[in-house]
């Protein structure tokens, strides 16, 4: 993640000052000041390890107090208080869901703390950049490898019987030579009613006009394919008529990667991406492992002997049973 200049606080007092104590650590830099959370790079009191501290601080509701703690702008506003508590409860639920999971592709929660007037999670400091900052693949082979890599965290999640349900580009951390890592489920943002980032191609079943459609692991499959297609073109993927989908996918790959050096590999990519981007959930690969098979990838060692569920069950919002 790109750092703010540690000597200059983010605009609007959105974060605690560098050097401040938080969760038994000392803040070294602000990694990200977002609409719901502020992320800090911090060093433990022993000085032996650096960690990430994720602090709940919805900026639409809060301002920073004299010592940096988030305070409601209007303490007498019952609606603001209720919204703050709803988002806070969702964050706690997400942390309790993440904490016992031990998946290589899912961020580990090392601690949940009420400290210095904030609710915080302590996370490992990981290498890499978010999917929004990943360099564009220069070839079909590079795009194929990137897709297989990005599928692994979702495949692990789906194999564990869980669904993300609200995937966007800032939630996938990617580093060359490392397995990508899912950074969370956005449950607090959903609870606060915040719209998804503009870079997300929304699966049709997440459109309010299509609320009758079921959500499940196939929702994550669509979201990942749409994110990758959006990254290739620099604009969100928009749903195409099924008759035009193959031509639309092929055209976007042509624009981003040029003529296919290996036509067979281009056809594999177009077929897999079209399947993942199908409007009807039952026409998509039912989970990330199935999309990996369409791309010709083999199951990794962590999945040996495990079976995916293909049953089409309705799943509620983020991080629910697949």
């Amino acid at each position: 993640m790109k750092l703010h200049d540690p000597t200059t606080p983010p605009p609007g007092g959105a974060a605690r000052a560098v050097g401040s104590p938080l969760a038994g650590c000392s803040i070294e830099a602000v990694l990200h000041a977002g609409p719901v959370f502020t992320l800090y790079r911090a060093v433990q009191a022993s000085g032996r390890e650096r960690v990430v501290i994720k602090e709940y601080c919805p900026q639409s509701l809060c301002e920073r107090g004299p010592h940096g703690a988030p305070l409601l702008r209007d303490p007498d506003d019952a609606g603001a208080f209720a919204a703050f508590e709803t988002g806070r409860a969702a964050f706690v639920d997400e942390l309790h869901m993440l904490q016992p999971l031990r998946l290589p592709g899912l961020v580990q929660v090392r601690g949940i703390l009420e400290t210095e007037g904030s609710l915080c999670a302590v996370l490992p400091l990981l290498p890499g950049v978010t999917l929004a900052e990943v360099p564009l693949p220069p070839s079909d082979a590079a795009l194929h490898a990137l897709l297989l890599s990005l599928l692994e965290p979702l495949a692990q999640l789906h194999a564990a019987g869980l669904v993300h349900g609200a995937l966007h580009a800032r939630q996938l951390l990617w580093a060359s030579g490392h397995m990508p890592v899912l950074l969370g489920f956005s449950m607090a943002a959903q609870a606060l009613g915040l719209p998804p980032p503009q870079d997300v191609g929304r699966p049709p079943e997440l459109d309010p006009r299509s609320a009758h459609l079921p959500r499940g692991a196939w929702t994550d499959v669509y979201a990942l394919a749409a994110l990758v297609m959006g990254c290739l073109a620099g604009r969100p993927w928009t749903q195409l008529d099924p008759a035009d989908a193959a031509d639309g996918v092929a055209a976007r790959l042509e624009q981003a990667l040029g003529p296919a050096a290996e036509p067979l590999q281009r056809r594999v990519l177009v077929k897999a991406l079209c399947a993942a981007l199908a409007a009807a959930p039952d026409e998509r690969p039912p989970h990330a492992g199935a999309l990996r098979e369409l791309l010709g990838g083999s199951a990794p060692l962590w999945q040996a002997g495990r079976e995916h569920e293909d049953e089409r069950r309705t799943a509620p919002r983020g991080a629910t049973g697949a």
Side-chain angles (χ1 to χ4, degrees), residues 61-298:
L61 303 173
C62 296
E63 59 188 8
R64 295 285 177 176
H67 301 291
L71 303 174
L72 285 174
R73 287 196 174 88
D74 184 356
D76 298 323
D77 186 337
F81 176 79
F84 179 88
E85 290 298 314
T86 298
R88 185 184 184 282
F91 182 39
V92 171
D93 286 346
E94 178 174 320
L95 293 176
H96 286 161
M97 184 176 295
L98 285 168
Q99 198 165 33
L101 295 175
R102 293 293 181 268
L103 302 175
L106 194 62
V107 69
Q108 297 294 307
V109 175
R110 294 185 176 179
I112 307 170
L113 301 170
E114 291 271 10
T115 177
E116 283 87 25
S118 292
L119 173 64
C120 297
V122 180
L123 312 171
L125 181 63
L126 302 172
V129 296
T130 62
L131 180 57
E133 303 165 275
V134 171
L136 291 178
S139 66
D140 292 87
L143 176 59
H144 186 267
L146 177 64
L147 273 169
L148 288 176
S149 176
L150 295 174
L151 275 171
E152 282 314 308
L154 287 177
Q156 293 172 30
L157 199 67
H158 296 166
L162 297 172
V163 172
H164 191 286
L167 190 67
H168 61 79
R170 290 201 63 86
Q171 290 175 321
L172 266 171
L173 192 69
W174 181 90
S176 180
H178 296 263
M179 178 181 291
V181 175
L182 274 169
L183 299 177
F185 297 119
S186 289
M187 291 172 66
Q190 293 177 73
L192 289 166
L194 297 180
Q198 294 300 309
D199 59 0
V200 175
R202 289 170 64 83
E205 65 265 29
L206 295 185
D207 190 309
R209 295 167 296 178
S210 306
H212 63 285
L213 293 175
R215 305 180 191 184
W218 50 91
T219 307
D220 295 341
V221 166
Y222 181 105
L224 180 63
L227 283 172
V228 170
M229 294 297 285
C231 289
L232 287 175
R235 63 183 186 277
W237 174 257
T238 53
Q239 188 62 44
L240 299 176
D241 184 278
D244 301 326
D247 289 342
V249 171
R252 187 162 288 197
L253 294 186
E254 179 88 12
Q255 291 170 359
L257 306 176
E262 296 289 341
L264 178 59
Q265 189 165 49
R266 177 68 60 86
R267 286 197 294 271
V268 168
L269 285 169
V270 170
K271 180 179 179 181
L273 288 167
C274 281
L277 294 166
D282 61 359
E283 294 178 1
R284 297 178 206 148
H287 47 71
L291 179 56
R292 181 178 56 215
E293 292 171 9
L294 274 181
L295 287 164
S298 57

Side-chain angles (χ1 to χ4, degrees), residues 33-53:
V36 183
F37 300 105
T38 306
L39 302 180
Y40 304 96
R41 189 186 73 206
V43 60
Q44 293 181 333
S46 64
R48 295 180 180 177
E49 186 179 12
R50 284 174 171 79
V51 296
V52 170
I53 299 175

